[in-house]
Amino acid sequence: MRLHVGCAMWTHKPWQGRFLPHPLPPGERLRSYATWCNAVEGNTTFYATPARDSVESWARQTGPDFRFVVKLPRSITHERRLTGADEELRSFLEAIEPLGPRAHALWVQLPGSFAPSDLGTLAGFLRGLPGSHRYAVEVRHRAFFDEPRSARLLEQVLAGVGAEWIPFDTVALFQSPPASDAEREAWTKKPRLPRRSHALTDRPIIRYIGRDDPARTAEGWRHWVGAVTEWLREGRSPTVFIHTPDNAEALMLARRFHDEVRARLPELEPLPEPEPAEPPTLF
């Protein structure tokens, strides 16, 4: 029984010298992060396909049980909208090959304009993907959340290829007016959608964003603590990513989420002990 938790990145300035040692060379940063969390969102791949030697470095810094949920490049999902992107997809799959089993799922994040009328395109795209990877789709069009028929059609498309639906839970973020600059910025950028918590596969993936106040973030994830606990009891293997608008406390909060689930399920395998941010002293 194992729960994977992580953040939206593995290096973040507010973590340096506080949670993670500083300075650290680029080839050591992910390794240090991986002593705190056992999963990470691969968001940088949305902006450009990484160089293969960079991906080889990611693999060297993590164990085979570490999970990357790697986002497909926007050239495939947003610019070409899943059509005529064979060359971009081939280059991307070749680049991430060194991750091996660490590539837990390839993440197809679709733009808010990708509507139920586009489901045929999504179905064709997913059917053409190689069976060597798992896939997960994130949609942001409101109809998938408000219209039961649209939700059912999307679930049918995903079930046909064994893909998961990734919810991005922003309910806590929008529960009350923003209280910081980072929260105000998040209000302009994050999707305001109802919470969805129905797992389609044995490996559900959750993205949750709270507030910059850790207490409010923890209050807002109570639903997920319960849902994840039940999934684990059912034999599923979930991955949960914790965000906050400024992400300053996200690394600590990801571990706190794991601790809260483990308090309900003591048999859950613990996370590794984090690497200290500063070397031990004699005094």
Side-chain angles (χ1 to χ4, degrees):
M1 186 181 291
R2 176 173 291 180
L3 167 62
H4 284 71
V5 296
C7 301
M9 72 286 285
W10 62 75
T11 181
H12 190 38
K13 190 173 182 179
W15 301 347
Q16 296 174 2
R18 183 173 171 227
F19 298 127
L20 306 179
H22 182 71
L24 276 176
E28 291 291 317
R29 293 171 186 169
L30 176 55
R31 181 199 58 76
S32 182
Y33 166 93
T35 70
W36 279 79
C37 294
N38 53 5
V40 73
E41 289 185 0
N43 281 292
T44 59
T45 57
F46 179 69
Y47 302 100
T49 294
R52 188 180 174 96
D53 59 352
S54 295
V55 180
E56 290 171 348
S57 173
W58 302 348
R60 285 194 300 270
Q61 294 178 65
T62 54
D65 292 331
F66 188 89
R67 289 182 177 176
F68 289 84
V69 176
V70 190
K71 192 184 292 187
L72 263 64
R74 62 183 171 186
S75 60
I76 299 172
T77 56
H78 287 56
E79 295 169 14
R80 295 188 177 272
R81 294 175 69 88
L82 310 182
T83 301
D86 293 351
E87 187 57 40
E88 291 93 336
L89 180 62
R90 188 179 303 110
S91 296
F92 176 75
L93 293 175
E94 289 176 356
I96 66 166
E97 186 179 7
L99 289 180
R102 300 166 186 81
H104 177 66
L106 303 192
W107 168 17
V108 185
Q109 185 186 78
L110 296 170
S113 60
F114 201 94
S117 59
D118 297 307
L119 282 176
T121 300
L122 176 61
F125 177 77
L126 292 174
R127 285 196 300 266
L129 293 173
S132 52
H133 290 284
R134 286 175 174 263
Y135 300 95
V137 175
E138 180 185 341
V139 292
R140 296 189 171 187
H141 195 285
R142 185 87 191 190
F144 291 117
F145 300 86
D146 290 344
E147 300 174 3
R149 181 177 181 274
S150 295
R152 285 195 304 271
L153 289 172
L154 175 55
E155 289 183 355
Q156 288 171 11
V157 167
L158 298 177
V161 293
E164 187 56 84
W165 180 342
I166 300 182
F168 187 19
D169 181 3
T170 61
V171 171
L173 174 66
F174 292 110
Q175 199 164 33
S176 59
S180 68
D181 289 342
E183 289 184 359
R184 278 184 281 275
E185 182 179 5
W187 266 48
T188 68
K189 294 182 177 180
K190 304 303 181 185
R192 190 182 299 219
L193 296 168
R195 178 185 291 133
R196 182 191 180 282
S197 55
H198 175 58
L200 300 181
T201 72
D202 64 341
R203 297 194 182 187
I205 300 168
I206 303 303
R207 305 181 70 225
Y208 165 80
I209 182 168
R211 304 296 291 258
D212 287 335
D213 178 353
R216 295 187 68 186
T217 297
E219 180 181 354
W221 72 34
R222 288 177 184 170
H223 167 85
W224 292 114
V225 170
V228 167
T229 299
E230 288 307 307
W231 287 340
L232 288 163
R233 286 177 175 150
E234 293 167 0
R236 302 180 196 262
S237 181
T239 305
V240 179
F241 294 111
I242 303 298
H243 301 231
T244 68
D246 65 11
N247 282 312
E249 306 293 331
L251 198 59
M252 175 272 294
L253 285 165
R255 291 185 67 92
R256 178 173 170 181
F257 181 89
H258 192 283
D259 288 344
E260 289 195 18
V261 175
R262 193 161 180 255
R264 299 191 184 193
L265 287 175
E267 63 269 37
L268 180 64
E269 184 173 333
L271 291 170
E273 282 299 311
E275 179 183 56
E278 297 180 358
T281 62
L282 297 177
F283 305 99

